[in-house]
Amino acid sequence: MQDPGVPNSVVRAAQGGDRNAFRRIVEAWTGAVFGLAWRFCFDRTDAEDLSQEIFLRLHTKLGLFDPSMPFAPWMYRMSANVCLNWKKRRNPRAASIDAMGAEGEAYDVEDPRDPAAERRRAEEAREALGRAMSGLPDEARTAIALRYEQGMEVTEVAKAMEVPVGTVKTWLFRARERLRAMLAPEWEVEK
Amino acid sequence: MSCRDIRLKFSAALDAPRDAEDRVRIEAHCAACAICGPEWRTLLRLEELMMEAPAAPAGFADRVMSALPTPAPARREIMPFAAAGLIAAAALVALQLATVATATAPWLAPVRDLMAGLTETVRARVASSPWEITGWVLAGAATIGALSGAVMGRVRQVVG
Ligand SMILES: [Zn+2]
């Protein structure tokens, strides 16, 4: 488990209302939570909002955590659930599809060595990935987001999702197959 | 391995170490195969994009902490202020009662004498050093003001 290493004594103190202890959890987990949130939306502003939402949820749900259990799998599971249920306040995806349609033609005549064009292409690739990810079934989406969050092992993903390793492998297989099928035409890697 | 077998092993190979036997075989096959090669390269590109993530902005923990609901102060924090207020109110009432009572009841004459003595002392002090007395009165007023301000602050926190 990619465990940011908050001792359970600190978690217990935070459960008792100690704000400094809660802050220690936030500081230790910011990287992991932000990384996971990013893999659900691929947008910096959304990832910030989503990460904040995760910590606010942690604040209200922390009392439900059993401190005799390891904290990291519980925290990852809770975070992934917030990500899955998070409803965007705005909807830039729909707008960005239109924008891409218009700008896509212009890119064809751009110099491929132009760094600004390269950045735009990377941005487009990420947006396409974000759209494809949001089209996955919840389990497959969670599995692949956790798998690439700090290079988590398949066994660690299984622990966080409370399912057998074989099940995670199946979800990862499906996630990759579907993402590949959706992204191949957009990325034009397979031509 | 057939092309189909190769593609079925793509996902497992991505989760295996780079030097795992199957992965090495897949890499070799895909370098030459026009069908499997592009699919494998799309998966590698997907993996590359999934790996990279920006860092959280600086000061993010501060932002989270300030978004948390303000905790209600524990009751024991309010108690000293409430107790001080009650004692002060009780003392004022007692003083008023004593003043009224000593004005009439003859059996309270010693108390009346004591009060008169105190009043006389205070009057003498005012006459001899009026600025000192003014200082004491101002200090008293400031203390009461600060105390009631603190009490009202706590009350507002609890109510709001
Ligand atoms: Zn092949």
Side-chain angles (χ1 to χ4, degrees):
Chain A
M1 182 66 49
Q2 301 299 310
D3 189 346
V6 177
N8 271 24
S9 58
V10 174
V11 176
R12 249 186 231 110
Q15 285 180 317
D18 182 338
R19 275 173 86 88
N20 285 333
F22 190 81
R23 192 194 171 90
R24 273 186 69 185
I25 299 177
V26 174
E27 283 172 350
W29 274 85
T30 290
V33 162
F34 190 81
L36 188 65
W38 166 263
R39 288 171 178 87
F40 273 85
C41 60
F42 294 91
D43 178 276
R44 197 181 284 262
T45 310
D46 287 347
E48 280 182 42
D49 290 351
L50 189 43
S51 302
Q52 175 151 331
E53 183 85 17
I54 289 169
F55 284 119
L56 292 180
R57 187 72 60 85
L58 173 68
H59 191 252
T60 54
K61 297 282 177 194
L62 191 56
L64 299 177
F65 169 68
D66 174 0
S68 69
M69 304 292 282
F71 180 63
W74 183 86
M75 179 67 190
Y76 274 120
R77 197 156 53 245
M78 192 274 300
S79 303
N81 281 336
V82 175
C83 291
L84 284 173
N85 293 317
W86 190 64
K87 296 280 178 285
K88 290 166 70 65
R89 268 164 228 123
R90 57 209 172 79
N91 192 2
R93 295 271 173 259
S96 70
I97 294 169
D98 297 339
M100 269 176 63
E103 289 165 25
E105 290 137 314
Y107 288 170
D108 291 342
V109 295
E110 272 177 358
D111 181 352
R113 290 157 302 180
D114 177 8
E118 181 53 44
R119 266 200 306 279
R120 269 196 298 276
R121 268 192 300 276
E123 186 59 36
E124 278 184 21
R126 267 196 299 276
E127 281 180 8
L129 178 54
R131 282 194 300 278
M133 280 285 281
S134 61
L136 290 183
D138 285 357
E139 293 89 354
R141 191 179 180 191
T142 305
I144 199 161
L146 283 170
R147 165 72 181 81
Y148 287 112
E149 156 50 28
Q150 296 177 37
M152 213 185 265
E153 297 287 335
V154 175
T155 49
E156 295 166 339
V157 176
K159 261 186 231 161
M161 295 183 77
E162 291 183 308
V163 292
V165 172
T167 308
V168 172
K169 285 182 178 170
T170 305
W171 286 337
L172 286 174
F173 179 90
R174 284 185 198 152
R176 288 180 171 124
E177 200 37 51
R178 283 193 63 167
L179 290 174
R180 188 197 60 74
M182 283 188 267
L183 294 168
E186 298 216 38
W187 289 356
E188 301 183 347
V189 181
E190 296 189 13
K191 267 186 189 166
Chain B
M1 276 195 284
S2 68
C3 284
R4 188 174 176 277
D5 290 338
I6 288 283
R7 292 206 294 274
L8 283 176
K9 285 177 183 290
F10 274 172
S11 185
L14 289 170
D15 294 325
R18 280 189 172 272
D19 58 353
E21 202 183 320
D22 271 349
R23 172 129 187 186
V24 173
R25 203 177 300 170
I26 284 170
E27 296 274 7
H29 176 98
C30 290
C33 180
I35 301 162
C36 305
E39 288 197 12
W40 177 246
R41 284 190 287 279
T42 303
L43 286 175
L44 290 180
R45 175 105 171 89
L46 167 68
E47 180 152 271
E48 194 185 319
L49 274 182
M50 286 298 294
M51 292 275 207
E52 54 185 45
F60 183 75
D62 292 327
R63 188 180 135 181
V64 169
M65 293 309 289
S66 59
L68 292 182
T70 319
R75 283 199 163 274
R76 63 176 182 279
E77 286 180 56
I78 311 168
M79 284 317 286
F81 294 100
L86 277 176
I87 290 167
L92 278 172
V93 169
L95 196 66
Q96 282 297 314
L97 285 176
T99 311
V100 171
T102 51
T104 49
W107 53 274
L108 277 172
V111 179
R112 187 161 55 224
D113 289 346
L114 187 68
M115 292 293 283
L118 277 174
T119 309
E120 193 45 52
T121 309
V122 169
R123 196 172 292 152
R125 289 297 294 269
V126 171
S128 63
S129 51
W131 292 116
E132 189 194 334
I133 295 301
T134 309
W136 280 110
V137 168
L138 285 177
T143 307
I144 290 168
L147 205 64
S148 51
V151 170
M152 286 316 292
R154 293 283 164 178
V155 168
R156 260 197 298 277
Q157 260 186 337
V158 171
V159 173

